[in-house]
Amino acid sequence: MKLNLFDNPFVRDYGMVFVLLLLAGFFSAVTIKQQHPTGENAGRQVADFIVARNGKQARVLIVTRNTVEDLAFAKAAAKRLESSGVTVLANVNGSAPDVRKAIDLILDQGDEIDAIAANDVTSKWSVYDRYPSIGSAKCVVPTSYTWPDFLKVSNLLGVANQTAIYAIIAIGMTMVIVTAGIDLSVGSLVALASVSCAIIIRDLGGGVNASLGTVVLASVIGIGICALAGAFNGMMITTFEVPPFIVTLSMQMMASGLSFRLSNGLSIPELPSSFFWLGRGQTLGISHPILLMIVLYCVAHVVMSRMVFGRYVYAIGGNEDAARMSGVPVKRILLAVYTICGALAGLGGIVLTSQLSAGDPKFGEMYELEVIAAVVVGGTSLMGGRGKIFGTLIGAFIIAVIKNGMNLTAVDPFNQKIVLGAVLLGSVLLDTLKRRGSRKR
Protein backbone atom coordinates (compact mmCIF):
# COMPACT_ATOMS: atom_id res chain seq x y z
CA MET A 1 0.00 0.00 0.00
CA LYS A 2 1.42 3.37 -1.02
CA LEU A 3 1.86 5.76 1.89
CA ASN A 4 1.06 9.43 1.54
CA LEU A 5 2.60 12.10 3.70
CA PHE A 6 -0.81 13.70 4.20
CA ASP A 7 -2.15 10.50 5.75
CA ASN A 8 -0.32 11.51 8.92
CA PRO A 9 -2.91 13.40 11.05
CA PHE A 10 -0.36 15.87 12.45
CA VAL A 11 1.07 16.67 9.02
CA ARG A 12 -2.41 17.00 7.57
CA ASP A 13 -3.67 19.38 10.27
CA TYR A 14 -0.52 21.20 11.39
CA GLY A 15 1.95 20.67 8.56
CA MET A 16 2.24 24.41 8.04
CA VAL A 17 4.14 24.66 11.32
CA PHE A 18 7.15 23.32 9.41
CA VAL A 19 6.69 26.10 6.85
CA LEU A 20 6.60 28.63 9.70
CA LEU A 21 9.85 27.25 11.13
CA LEU A 22 11.51 27.32 7.70
CA LEU A 23 10.45 30.93 7.18
CA ALA A 24 11.73 31.90 10.62
CA GLY A 25 15.05 30.21 9.86
CA PHE A 26 15.34 31.87 6.47
CA PHE A 27 14.63 35.39 7.70
CA SER A 28 16.93 34.83 10.66
CA ALA A 29 19.75 33.90 8.30
CA VAL A 30 19.28 36.86 5.95
CA THR A 31 18.94 39.47 8.72
CA ILE A 32 22.09 38.66 10.68
CA LYS A 33 23.99 41.84 11.45
CA GLN A 34 25.97 43.64 14.11
CA GLN A 35 23.65 44.62 16.95
CA HIS A 36 24.22 47.65 19.12
CA PRO A 37 22.18 47.21 22.31
CA THR A 38 20.25 49.90 24.11
CA GLY A 39 17.66 49.81 26.85
CA GLU A 40 18.05 49.11 30.56
CA ASN A 41 20.60 46.29 30.36
CA ALA A 42 22.83 48.30 28.04
CA GLY A 43 22.65 51.30 30.38
CA ARG A 44 23.71 49.23 33.37
CA GLN A 45 26.53 47.68 31.33
CA VAL A 46 27.90 51.09 30.33
CA ALA A 47 27.68 52.30 33.93
CA ASP A 48 29.72 49.32 35.09
CA PHE A 49 32.32 49.97 32.37
CA ILE A 50 32.69 53.59 33.50
CA VAL A 51 33.07 52.67 37.18
CA ALA A 52 35.67 50.04 36.31
CA ARG A 53 37.65 52.39 34.04
CA ASN A 54 37.31 55.76 35.76
CA GLY A 55 36.58 54.85 39.35
CA LYS A 56 33.88 56.10 41.70
CA GLN A 57 35.11 59.70 41.57
CA ALA A 58 34.25 60.03 37.88
CA ARG A 59 32.04 62.81 36.57
CA VAL A 60 29.78 61.51 33.81
CA LEU A 61 27.58 62.97 31.09
CA ILE A 62 24.80 60.68 29.82
CA VAL A 63 23.78 61.22 26.18
CA THR A 64 20.87 59.47 24.44
CA ARG A 65 18.15 60.22 21.93
CA ASN A 66 14.56 60.84 22.97
CA THR A 67 13.26 57.33 22.24
CA VAL A 68 11.69 54.80 24.57
CA GLU A 69 14.68 52.44 24.58
CA ASP A 70 17.21 55.27 24.90
CA LEU A 71 15.31 56.81 27.79
CA ALA A 72 15.35 53.44 29.53
CA PHE A 73 19.10 53.26 28.84
CA ALA A 74 19.67 56.70 30.37
CA LYS A 75 17.54 56.02 33.44
CA ALA A 76 19.23 52.68 34.16
CA ALA A 77 22.72 54.11 33.61
CA ALA A 78 22.07 57.08 35.90
CA LYS A 79 20.66 54.88 38.64
CA ARG A 80 23.62 52.46 38.50
CA LEU A 81 26.19 55.28 38.40
CA GLU A 82 24.67 57.20 41.29
CA SER A 83 24.37 54.06 43.41
CA SER A 84 28.11 53.52 42.82
CA GLY A 85 28.94 57.04 44.02
CA VAL A 86 29.65 58.46 40.56
CA THR A 87 28.57 62.05 39.84
CA VAL A 88 26.15 62.39 36.94
CA LEU A 89 26.67 65.92 35.61
CA ALA A 90 23.73 65.88 33.20
CA ASN A 91 21.35 63.51 31.44
CA VAL A 92 20.75 64.71 27.87
CA ASN A 93 17.92 63.11 25.91
CA GLY A 94 17.75 64.74 22.51
CA SER A 95 19.96 65.76 19.59
CA ALA A 96 23.53 66.94 19.06
CA PRO A 97 22.67 70.64 19.64
CA ASP A 98 21.21 69.69 23.02
CA VAL A 99 24.46 67.93 23.89
CA ARG A 100 26.48 70.98 22.91
CA LYS A 101 24.41 73.21 25.19
CA ALA A 102 24.84 70.79 28.07
CA ILE A 103 28.63 70.57 27.58
CA ASP A 104 28.96 74.36 27.37
CA LEU A 105 27.03 74.74 30.61
CA ILE A 106 29.13 72.12 32.41
CA LEU A 107 32.43 73.64 31.26
CA ASP A 108 31.26 77.18 32.11
CA GLN A 109 30.61 76.00 35.65
CA GLY A 110 34.21 74.81 35.92
CA ASP A 111 33.41 71.08 35.90
CA GLU A 112 35.24 68.41 33.92
CA ILE A 113 33.76 65.49 32.07
CA ASP A 114 35.60 62.22 32.68
CA ALA A 115 33.33 59.95 30.64
CA ILE A 116 30.26 60.06 28.41
CA ALA A 117 27.72 57.25 28.69
CA ALA A 118 26.36 56.83 25.17
CA ASN A 119 25.03 54.25 22.74
CA ASP A 120 26.25 53.43 19.25
CA VAL A 121 24.32 56.29 17.62
CA THR A 122 25.03 59.12 20.05
CA SER A 123 28.70 58.13 20.41
CA LYS A 124 29.25 58.92 16.71
CA TRP A 125 28.12 62.51 16.93
CA SER A 126 30.95 64.90 16.07
CA VAL A 127 29.97 67.40 18.75
CA TYR A 128 32.41 65.91 21.29
CA ASP A 129 35.45 66.59 19.11
CA ARG A 130 34.71 70.31 19.23
CA TYR A 131 36.10 70.30 22.77
CA PRO A 132 39.81 69.46 23.15
CA SER A 133 39.30 68.37 26.76
CA ILE A 134 36.62 65.86 25.84
CA GLY A 135 36.68 64.20 22.42
CA SER A 136 34.78 61.13 21.27
CA ALA A 137 37.39 58.93 22.96
CA LYS A 138 35.61 59.55 26.27
CA CYS A 139 32.41 57.95 25.00
CA VAL A 140 31.66 54.58 26.58
CA VAL A 141 29.23 52.35 24.68
CA PRO A 142 27.74 48.90 25.33
CA THR A 143 29.39 45.86 23.77
CA SER A 144 28.01 45.01 20.33
CA TYR A 145 27.20 41.47 19.19
CA THR A 146 26.08 39.58 16.08
CA TRP A 147 22.43 38.52 15.98
CA PRO A 148 19.54 38.39 13.45
CA ASP A 149 17.25 41.39 13.42
CA PHE A 150 14.37 38.97 12.99
CA LEU A 151 15.11 37.16 16.27
CA LYS A 152 15.36 40.29 18.40
CA VAL A 153 12.89 40.02 21.25
CA SER A 154 11.40 43.41 20.43
CA ASN A 155 10.79 42.31 16.84
CA LEU A 156 9.22 38.98 17.78
CA LEU A 157 6.93 40.61 20.32
CA GLY A 158 6.05 43.26 17.74
CA VAL A 159 5.10 40.56 15.22
CA ALA A 160 2.94 38.78 17.79
CA ASN A 161 1.28 42.02 18.87
CA GLN A 162 0.48 43.05 15.31
CA THR A 163 -0.86 39.56 14.54
CA ALA A 164 -3.11 39.34 17.60
CA ILE A 165 -6.09 41.23 16.15
CA TYR A 166 -6.08 39.32 12.85
CA ALA A 167 -5.69 36.06 14.74
CA ILE A 168 -8.59 36.81 17.10
CA ILE A 169 -10.93 37.57 14.20
CA ALA A 170 -9.64 34.48 12.38
CA ILE A 171 -11.08 32.22 15.11
CA GLY A 172 -14.61 33.11 14.03
CA MET A 173 -13.66 32.99 10.36
CA THR A 174 -12.29 29.47 10.84
CA MET A 175 -15.65 28.30 12.18
CA VAL A 176 -17.44 29.95 9.28
CA ILE A 177 -15.17 28.46 6.62
CA VAL A 178 -15.31 25.00 8.23
CA THR A 179 -19.08 25.14 7.57
CA ALA A 180 -18.24 25.89 3.90
CA GLY A 181 -19.29 29.53 4.35
CA ILE A 182 -17.50 32.87 4.15
CA ASP A 183 -17.76 36.20 5.95
CA LEU A 184 -16.60 39.28 4.06
CA SER A 185 -18.02 41.72 6.62
CA VAL A 186 -15.46 41.32 9.43
CA GLY A 187 -13.31 44.28 8.36
CA SER A 188 -16.26 46.67 8.35
CA LEU A 189 -17.47 45.28 11.67
CA VAL A 190 -14.07 46.17 13.16
CA ALA A 191 -14.74 49.78 12.19
CA LEU A 192 -18.35 49.64 13.41
CA ALA A 193 -17.32 48.37 16.85
CA SER A 194 -14.58 50.98 17.08
CA VAL A 195 -16.86 53.88 16.17
CA SER A 196 -19.79 52.68 18.28
CA CYS A 197 -17.67 52.22 21.39
CA ALA A 198 -15.90 55.56 20.96
CA ILE A 199 -19.16 57.48 20.41
CA ILE A 200 -20.75 56.00 23.54
CA ILE A 201 -17.71 56.93 25.61
CA ARG A 202 -17.55 60.44 24.15
CA ASP A 203 -21.23 61.36 24.15
CA LEU A 204 -22.62 59.39 27.09
CA GLY A 205 -19.65 58.63 29.30
CA GLY A 206 -17.82 61.93 29.53
CA GLY A 207 -15.05 61.32 27.00
CA VAL A 208 -11.58 61.46 28.56
CA ASN A 209 -13.19 61.54 32.01
CA ALA A 210 -15.25 58.39 31.50
CA SER A 211 -15.23 55.84 34.30
CA LEU A 212 -13.97 52.28 33.98
CA GLY A 213 -17.54 50.98 34.18
CA THR A 214 -18.54 53.16 31.23
CA VAL A 215 -15.56 51.93 29.24
CA VAL A 216 -16.48 48.30 29.87
CA LEU A 217 -20.15 48.90 29.05
CA ALA A 218 -19.29 50.75 25.83
CA SER A 219 -16.94 47.94 24.78
CA VAL A 220 -19.61 45.31 25.44
CA ILE A 221 -22.15 47.31 23.43
CA GLY A 222 -19.71 47.67 20.54
CA ILE A 223 -19.09 43.92 20.51
CA GLY A 224 -22.82 43.26 20.89
CA ILE A 225 -23.67 45.38 17.85
CA CYS A 226 -21.26 43.34 15.75
CA ALA A 227 -22.66 40.11 17.19
CA LEU A 228 -26.14 41.24 16.08
CA ALA A 229 -24.75 41.99 12.62
CA GLY A 230 -23.30 38.48 12.53
CA ALA A 231 -26.63 37.04 13.69
CA PHE A 232 -28.34 38.94 10.86
CA ASN A 233 -25.90 37.35 8.41
CA GLY A 234 -26.69 33.92 9.83
CA MET A 235 -30.44 34.52 9.70
CA MET A 236 -30.35 35.59 6.06
CA ILE A 237 -28.25 32.55 5.17
CA THR A 238 -30.30 29.98 7.08
CA THR A 239 -33.85 31.36 6.77
CA PHE A 240 -33.81 32.85 3.28
CA GLU A 241 -30.97 30.71 1.87
CA VAL A 242 -29.11 33.70 0.47
CA PRO A 243 -25.51 32.72 -0.40
CA PRO A 244 -23.02 33.69 2.36
CA PHE A 245 -20.89 35.61 -0.14
CA ILE A 246 -23.77 37.94 -1.06
CA VAL A 247 -25.08 38.37 2.49
CA THR A 248 -21.72 39.22 4.03
CA LEU A 249 -20.68 41.41 1.10
CA SER A 250 -23.87 43.41 1.64
CA MET A 251 -23.17 43.61 5.38
CA GLN A 252 -19.64 44.77 4.60
CA MET A 253 -20.97 47.76 2.68
CA MET A 254 -23.74 48.53 5.17
CA ALA A 255 -21.49 48.35 8.24
CA SER A 256 -18.85 50.50 6.56
CA GLY A 257 -21.41 53.11 5.54
CA LEU A 258 -22.95 53.12 9.02
CA SER A 259 -19.51 53.63 10.58
CA PHE A 260 -18.85 56.67 8.41
CA ARG A 261 -22.36 58.01 9.00
CA LEU A 262 -22.15 57.71 12.81
CA SER A 263 -18.72 59.33 12.97
CA ASN A 264 -19.27 61.82 10.12
CA GLY A 265 -16.14 60.32 8.60
CA LEU A 266 -13.96 61.61 11.43
CA SER A 267 -11.71 59.97 13.99
CA ILE A 268 -12.94 59.99 17.62
CA PRO A 269 -9.98 60.47 19.99
CA GLU A 270 -11.87 61.52 23.16
CA LEU A 271 -11.10 58.35 25.12
CA PRO A 272 -9.95 57.91 28.73
CA SER A 273 -6.56 56.45 29.65
CA SER A 274 -8.28 53.45 31.29
CA PHE A 275 -9.46 52.37 27.85
CA PHE A 276 -5.88 51.86 26.65
CA TRP A 277 -5.21 49.08 29.17
CA LEU A 278 -6.52 46.38 26.83
CA GLY A 279 -4.52 47.34 23.76
CA ARG A 280 -1.35 48.75 25.30
CA GLY A 281 -1.06 47.21 28.75
CA GLN A 282 1.35 44.43 29.64
CA THR A 283 1.47 41.60 32.14
CA LEU A 284 4.82 39.93 32.82
CA GLY A 285 6.25 41.79 29.83
CA ILE A 286 3.66 40.38 27.41
CA SER A 287 1.10 42.73 25.87
CA HIS A 288 -2.55 42.14 26.66
CA PRO A 289 -3.62 41.56 23.01
CA ILE A 290 -1.20 38.62 22.87
CA LEU A 291 -2.49 37.20 26.16
CA LEU A 292 -6.08 37.64 24.99
CA MET A 293 -5.25 35.87 21.74
CA ILE A 294 -3.72 32.91 23.60
CA VAL A 295 -6.71 32.55 25.92
CA LEU A 296 -9.22 32.74 23.08
CA TYR A 297 -7.37 30.16 21.00
CA CYS A 298 -7.24 27.74 23.93
CA VAL A 299 -10.98 28.15 24.50
CA ALA A 300 -11.78 27.84 20.79
CA HIS A 301 -9.62 24.71 20.50
CA VAL A 302 -11.54 23.05 23.32
CA VAL A 303 -14.89 24.08 21.82
CA MET A 304 -14.02 22.80 18.35
CA SER A 305 -12.25 19.60 19.34
CA ARG A 306 -13.91 18.50 22.60
CA MET A 307 -17.48 19.78 22.54
CA VAL A 308 -20.64 18.83 20.66
CA PHE A 309 -20.84 22.27 19.08
CA GLY A 310 -17.51 21.74 17.35
CA ARG A 311 -18.50 18.32 16.04
CA TYR A 312 -21.68 19.81 14.64
CA VAL A 313 -19.70 22.55 12.88
CA TYR A 314 -17.47 19.97 11.19
CA ALA A 315 -20.46 17.81 10.30
CA ILE A 316 -22.23 20.70 8.57
CA GLY A 317 -19.11 21.54 6.58
CA GLY A 318 -18.58 17.92 5.58
CA ASN A 319 -22.12 17.34 4.33
CA GLU A 320 -24.93 19.66 5.39
CA ASP A 321 -27.74 17.40 4.20
CA ALA A 322 -26.30 14.37 5.96
CA ALA A 323 -25.80 16.41 9.14
CA ARG A 324 -29.44 17.58 9.02
CA MET A 325 -30.71 14.03 8.59
CA SER A 326 -28.50 12.95 11.50
CA GLY A 327 -30.28 15.35 13.83
CA VAL A 328 -27.81 18.23 13.77
CA PRO A 329 -29.62 21.58 14.31
CA VAL A 330 -28.04 23.08 11.22
CA LYS A 331 -29.79 26.43 11.27
CA ARG A 332 -29.02 27.10 14.94
CA ILE A 333 -25.37 26.11 14.55
CA LEU A 334 -24.89 28.30 11.48
CA LEU A 335 -26.62 31.20 13.24
CA ALA A 336 -24.28 30.74 16.21
CA VAL A 337 -21.18 30.49 14.01
CA TYR A 338 -21.89 33.76 12.19
CA THR A 339 -22.80 35.46 15.47
CA ILE A 340 -19.50 34.37 17.01
CA CYS A 341 -17.62 35.59 13.95
CA GLY A 342 -19.28 38.99 14.21
CA ALA A 343 -18.62 39.22 17.94
CA LEU A 344 -14.92 38.40 17.51
CA ALA A 345 -14.65 41.02 14.76
CA GLY A 346 -16.15 43.49 17.22
CA LEU A 347 -13.64 42.45 19.87
CA GLY A 348 -10.86 43.00 17.35
CA GLY A 349 -12.23 46.49 16.73
CA ILE A 350 -12.19 47.27 20.46
CA VAL A 351 -8.59 46.07 20.83
CA LEU A 352 -7.51 48.08 17.77
CA THR A 353 -9.22 51.19 19.14
CA SER A 354 -7.43 50.71 22.45
CA GLN A 355 -4.09 50.32 20.67
CA LEU A 356 -4.48 53.38 18.47
CA SER A 357 -6.22 55.61 21.05
CA ALA A 358 -9.18 56.53 18.85
CA GLY A 359 -12.26 55.21 17.14
CA ASP A 360 -12.10 55.49 13.37
CA PRO A 361 -14.41 54.44 10.52
CA LYS A 362 -11.38 53.58 8.40
CA PHE A 363 -10.22 50.83 10.77
CA GLY A 364 -10.43 47.29 9.47
CA GLU A 365 -10.00 48.06 5.77
CA MET A 366 -8.99 44.87 3.92
CA TYR A 367 -8.92 42.92 7.19
CA GLU A 368 -11.26 40.31 5.74
CA LEU A 369 -8.64 39.37 3.14
CA GLU A 370 -5.87 39.11 5.74
CA VAL A 371 -8.07 36.99 7.98
CA ILE A 372 -9.25 34.66 5.22
CA ALA A 373 -5.64 34.27 4.08
CA ALA A 374 -4.57 33.30 7.61
CA VAL A 375 -7.35 30.70 7.83
CA VAL A 376 -6.60 29.17 4.43
CA VAL A 377 -2.82 29.19 4.88
CA GLY A 378 -3.39 27.51 8.24
CA GLY A 379 -4.93 24.50 6.50
CA THR A 380 -8.68 25.12 6.69
CA SER A 381 -10.38 24.03 3.46
CA LEU A 382 -12.55 26.53 1.63
CA MET A 383 -14.76 23.57 0.71
CA GLY A 384 -15.61 23.07 4.37
CA GLY A 385 -15.38 20.19 6.82
CA ARG A 386 -11.65 20.43 7.48
CA GLY A 387 -9.50 22.77 9.53
CA LYS A 388 -8.01 23.28 12.98
CA ILE A 389 -8.10 26.28 15.27
CA PHE A 390 -4.38 26.16 16.06
CA GLY A 391 -3.72 25.68 12.35
CA THR A 392 -5.29 29.10 11.83
CA LEU A 393 -2.98 30.58 14.46
CA ILE A 394 -0.02 29.11 12.58
CA GLY A 395 -1.38 30.56 9.35
CA ALA A 396 -1.73 34.00 10.90
CA PHE A 397 1.89 33.89 12.04
CA ILE A 398 3.07 32.67 8.64
CA ILE A 399 1.50 35.72 7.01
CA ALA A 400 2.92 37.99 9.73
CA VAL A 401 6.43 36.49 9.49
CA ILE A 402 6.47 36.86 5.71
CA LYS A 403 5.40 40.51 5.94
CA ASN A 404 7.85 41.28 8.74
CA GLY A 405 10.70 39.47 7.02
CA MET A 406 10.11 41.34 3.78
CA ASN A 407 10.05 44.63 5.67
CA LEU A 408 13.35 43.80 7.40
CA THR A 409 14.95 42.90 4.07
CA ALA A 410 13.57 46.06 2.39
CA VAL A 411 11.39 44.26 -0.17
CA ASP A 412 9.36 46.69 -2.28
CA PRO A 413 5.72 47.00 -1.05
CA PHE A 414 4.37 46.13 -4.50
CA ASN A 415 6.45 42.96 -4.56
CA GLN A 416 5.19 42.13 -1.07
CA LYS A 417 1.63 42.00 -2.40
CA ILE A 418 2.74 39.67 -5.18
CA VAL A 419 4.40 37.34 -2.69
CA LEU A 420 1.42 37.29 -0.31
CA GLY A 421 -0.95 36.60 -3.19
CA ALA A 422 1.24 33.72 -4.34
CA VAL A 423 1.30 32.30 -0.80
CA LEU A 424 -2.51 32.35 -0.63
CA LEU A 425 -2.84 30.74 -4.06
CA GLY A 426 -0.30 28.09 -3.12
CA SER A 427 -2.22 27.25 0.04
CA VAL A 428 -5.49 26.79 -1.85
CA LEU A 429 -3.69 24.71 -4.50
CA LEU A 430 -2.20 22.51 -1.77
CA ASP A 431 -5.65 21.96 -0.26
CA THR A 432 -7.03 21.06 -3.68
CA LEU A 433 -4.28 18.52 -4.27
CA LYS A 434 -4.83 16.99 -0.84
CA ARG A 435 -8.56 16.59 -1.49
CA ARG A 436 -7.91 15.13 -4.95
CA GLY A 437 -5.50 12.63 -3.44
CA SER A 438 -8.01 11.68 -0.74
CA ARG A 439 -10.72 11.01 -3.33
CA LYS A 440 -8.39 8.79 -5.36
CA ARG A 441 -7.41 6.77 -2.26
Side-chain angles (χ1 to χ4, degrees), residues 216-228:
V216 173
L217 179 61
S219 300
V220 171
I221 292 175
I223 295 171
I225 290 172
C226 292
L228 288 176

Side-chain angles (χ1 to χ4, degrees), residues 124-336:
K124 294 177 180 177
W125 290 346
S126 61
V127 63
Y128 315 112
D129 294 323
R130 294 175 178 268
Y131 303 90
S133 62
I134 301 176
S136 57
K138 288 192 175 182
C139 290
V140 181
V141 299
T143 305
S144 61
Y145 59 93
T146 301
W147 189 255
D149 278 345
F150 178 79
L151 290 182
K152 291 169 67 174
V153 174
S154 59
N155 183 65
L156 294 177
L157 289 177
V159 170
N161 199 46
Q162 293 168 10
T163 307
I165 295 176
Y166 294 112
I168 289 171
I169 301 172
I171 293 174
M173 187 66 76
T174 301
M175 296 180 181
V176 168
I177 292 180
V178 166
T179 65
I182 197 74
D183 191 343
L184 300 177
S185 67
V186 291
S188 295
L189 293 183
V190 167
L192 182 59
S194 174
V195 167
S196 301
C197 177
I199 288 176
I200 292 172
I201 293 175
R202 182 193 64 186
D203 296 344
L204 303 179
V208 295
N209 298 316
S211 65
L212 178 60
T214 301
V215 168
V216 173
L217 179 61
S219 300
V220 171
I221 292 175
I223 295 171
I225 290 172
C226 292
L228 288 176
F232 177 81
N233 290 339
M235 183 189 70
M236 296 297 294
I237 292 167
T238 58
T239 304
F240 299 99
E241 299 184 356
V242 181
F245 182 90
I246 299 300
V247 172
T248 58
L249 180 61
S250 301
M251 178 57 69
Q252 178 193 62
M253 292 186 285
M254 289 189 293
S256 178
L258 183 58
S259 300
F260 278 94
R261 171 56 58 196
L262 291 173
S263 64
N264 293 319
L266 302 175
S267 179
I268 305 172
E270 296 89 352
L271 301 175
S273 57
S274 59
F275 185 73
F276 308 142
W277 176 86
L278 179 60
R280 297 185 189 176
Q282 292 186 345
T283 298
L284 300 177
I286 302 176
S287 69
H288 290 160
I290 297 176
L291 294 175
L292 178 62
M293 175 187 69
I294 293 172
V295 170
L296 288 176
Y297 266 87
C298 290
V299 172
H301 172 72
V302 172
V303 169
M304 291 295 287
S305 63
R306 303 294 182 183
M307 298 180 67
V308 174
F309 177 84
R311 291 198 291 272
Y312 283 172
V313 171
Y314 284 108
I316 292 170
N319 190 317
E320 184 175 327
D321 292 332
R324 184 179 291 107
M325 288 187 290
S326 299
V328 175
V330 174
K331 289 187 177 180
R332 282 187 294 170
I333 296 298
L334 287 177
L335 184 64

Side-chain angles (χ1 to χ4, degrees), residues 360-379:
D360 197 300
K362 295 184 289 295
F363 285 170
E365 290 184 355
M366 305 301 289
Y367 269 38
E368 58 276 359
L369 300 184
E370 295 269 2
V371 170
I372 292 171
V375 174
V376 174
V377 170

